[in-house]
Amino acid sequence: MKLEPYWLDSAPRFDADTAGPLAGKVDVAIVGGGFTGLSAALALAKSGASVAVLEAGRVIGEASGRNGGHCNNGTAHDLAGLAASLGLERASALYRAFDTAVDQVEALVAEEAIDCDFRRTGKIKLAAKPEHFAKLEKSAELLQRTVEPDLVIVRPEETRTEIGSDGFYGGLVFPRGAHMHMGRFGAGLANAAARRGAGIFENARVTGLHRLNGSAHRVVTTRGGIEAGQVLLATGASREGPFAWLRRRIVPVGSFIIATEPLSDNLAASIMPTRRTATTTKNIGNYFRLTPDNRLIFGGRARFALSSPKSDAKSGAILQARMLELFPQLAGTRIDYCWGGLVDMTSDRLPRAGERDGLFYALGYSGHGTQMSVHMGQIMARVMGGDAKANPLAGLDWPAVPGHFGPPWFLPFVGAYYRYQDWRH
């Protein structure tokens, strides 16, 4: 079993890193070489801007290359709950931004000829308890009437047409959902940005940020310094760099994933005959999908802990046990990969993007980052070009998380609370 992401191990590595030390000036410096930063770099370079992407490690080495491989529409919230806090018009607009985000990924895959197995399979949200189906049915009525007219209700007695497990009780199918190979998409996105002239600097950890005037800054990294007319922070849950204001508003939450050996066609069909992406209704639930070569990618917040090799292995054992509980037909199946990553969670689970003190930022995707990170990279390129109205997240209040000044000491307590809620409801 390899303690590394399947996506990174099974994709060609980006090899167009800009050689030499950082120096001189650029129009835009982007801190972070994940999907947000690379998407913004591509859009800005296509518009004629000079761009430098500054990545502390390797391109897509963190959240963008460590997720579950889903590219789904829909917010982290029930639409009714989101409408109660923001109003139905704003809630619906945010929901549709996630629709547009999946379309954006699909468009970039086609435009840049990225070989990443992008497929519109749809997503199924599975009721983990009988009483959860009633809640899904209730939410379906509002969704079908407003933002998801093609939503399909899968009744409990129909569950096995979608999932080969006795552990679920119906669900909802969201037809716009998709999946892809994250490593190959990320490498393709980075190569596309480099082809357009963007400089991409790996192993360039930002150590200093000094405002010169307006939005201009001098950015100091472990590979030298550079002056930038604008700076975009696309750091996700990274704990690197002088970004305390953002870190007080982002809680890094570990999410863990295992990947099986390739399954036979019959075994794969017995588990997920429709090959959709799948999520469950528990607070500490699971998400899973099949790859084109029939590996089951199975993930979840197995433990409320940060990622490390030891932590990943412990979490992988918990995930394997849960996988076998849901799919006993996988008994004896080898686990080939186990990995973890950090989700950049906000307190209300809505992403944030905008400008503060001359710095632009886009992050806080809260577990729904594949599509929105790509989309918001494109959007922030427009915002930085003067189109402030392009930002669908503009105006969202973003207070600091109370008591959060560094490492998230409170995660075990949060985990205990959600486990209790899952037991009770």
Side-chain angles (χ1 to χ4, degrees):
M1 183 178 74
K2 295 183 178 181
L3 291 174
E4 60 181 307
Y6 165 73
W7 310 122
L8 299 182
D9 187 56
S10 60
R13 178 156 182 167
F14 170 71
D15 60 1
D17 179 58
T18 305
L22 271 166
K25 297 182 179 181
V26 291
D27 294 322
V28 182
I30 298 172
V31 184
F35 291 164
T36 302
L38 295 173
S39 177
L42 173 60
L44 287 161
K46 286 169 71 173
S47 74
S50 57
V51 183
V53 177
L54 313 175
E55 166 54 47
R58 62 175 286 189
V59 163
I60 68 159
E62 297 304 323
S64 296
R66 293 178 170 273
N67 54 57
H70 299 205
C71 184
N72 296 324
N73 71 317
T75 65
H77 310 75
D78 176 77
L79 182 62
L82 194 58
S85 60
L86 298 177
L88 182 58
E89 183 178 355
R90 183 73 196 272
S92 298
L94 283 175
Y95 194 101
R96 292 190 178 98
F98 282 74
D99 292 342
T100 303
V102 182
D103 295 341
Q104 182 80 77
V105 174
E106 186 175 34
L108 284 175
V109 168
E111 290 166 10
E112 303 300 334
I114 301 174
D115 178 16
C116 63
D117 294 318
F118 180 92
R119 300 183 186 185
R120 288 268 192 173
T121 54
K123 177 192 84 170
I124 184 165
K125 186 170 186 178
L126 293 160
K129 292 184 177 183
E131 56 267 33
H132 289 188
F133 180 71
K135 295 178 181 178
L136 290 179
E137 265 196 314
K138 184 177 180 180
S139 67
E141 188 278 328
L142 178 61
L143 287 166
Q144 289 175 322
R145 180 162 48 85
T146 54
V147 294
E148 282 281 358
D150 299 323
L151 185 78
V152 177
I153 299 173
V154 179
R155 304 204 167 273
E157 63 272 17
E158 302 168 331
T159 304
R160 276 194 165 266
T161 65
E162 291 282 345
I163 296 291
S165 172
D166 293 327
F168 301 109
Y169 307 90
L172 302 178
V173 172
F174 298 75
R176 295 188 184 98
H179 60 58
M180 64 182 175
H181 191 296
M182 296 297 165
R184 297 214 303 265
F185 174 74
L189 193 60
N191 283 320
R195 281 197 308 271
R196 298 306 201 288
I200 299 179
F201 297 82
E202 296 184 306
N203 301 308
R205 180 169 57 88
V206 172
T207 58
L209 195 60
H210 310 289
R211 190 174 188 178
L212 301 177
N213 56 75
S215 60
H217 288 75
R218 177 163 180 77
V219 188
V220 181
T221 80
T222 51
R223 287 183 59 177
I226 195 167
E227 289 187 15
Q230 295 174 312
V231 175
L232 173 63
L233 304 180
T235 57
S238 173
R239 290 169 286 169
E240 303 278 357
F243 309 118
W245 187 85
L246 291 177
R247 276 199 288 273
R248 287 213 58 203
R249 288 154 175 80
I250 294 288
V251 178
V253 176
S255 196
F256 305 92
I257 303 166
I258 55 175
T260 69
E261 64 181 314
L263 309 176
S264 69
D265 288 343
N266 287 339
L267 187 53
S270 78
I271 293 169
M272 303 187 79
T274 56
R275 304 185 77 93
R276 305 191 197 281
T277 62
T279 63
T280 69
T281 53
K282 285 187 176 181
N283 291 301
I284 307 177
N286 296 105
Y287 48 88
F288 44 95
R289 55 156 290 199
L290 288 168
T291 63
D293 66 346
N294 287 343
R295 295 179 188 273
L296 181 64
I297 309 290
F298 189 90
R301 290 178 185 90
R303 298 164 59 248
F304 273 72
L306 300 183
S307 176
S308 69
K310 185 176 180 180
S311 180
D312 293 354
K314 287 182 178 180
S315 299
I318 295 170
L319 288 172
Q320 184 179 17
R322 177 59 176 158
M323 180 187 76
L324 293 176
E325 183 182 333
L326 293 173
F327 302 113
Q329 60 266 55
L330 290 179
T333 299
R334 187 180 69 241
I335 303 299
D336 280 354
Y337 294 88
C338 173
W339 70 95
L342 295 180
V343 176
D344 54 343
M345 199 76 72
T346 62
S347 58
D348 62 4
R349 300 187 68 192
L350 287 174
R352 295 298 195 279
E355 181 270 335
R356 178 183 179 272
D357 291 344
L359 290 171
F360 296 88
Y361 59 87
L363 66 169
Y365 302 111
S366 301
H368 289 65
T370 295
Q371 64 287 348
M372 279 301 281
S373 58
V374 175
H375 182 49
M376 291 310 301
Q378 300 282 306
I379 289 293
M380 291 309 293
R382 291 170 56 187
V383 170
M384 296 165 79
D387 184 8
K389 293 182 179 179
N391 183 7
L393 305 174
L396 291 176
D397 188 31
W398 199 12
V401 176
H404 179 37
F405 298 96
W409 55 269
F410 44 80
L411 285 184
F413 302 99
V414 174
Y417 170 78
Y418 282 126
R419 287 188 185 92
Y420 172 72
Q421 293 298 318
D422 282 336
W423 169 78
R424 185 179 178 187
H425 303 291

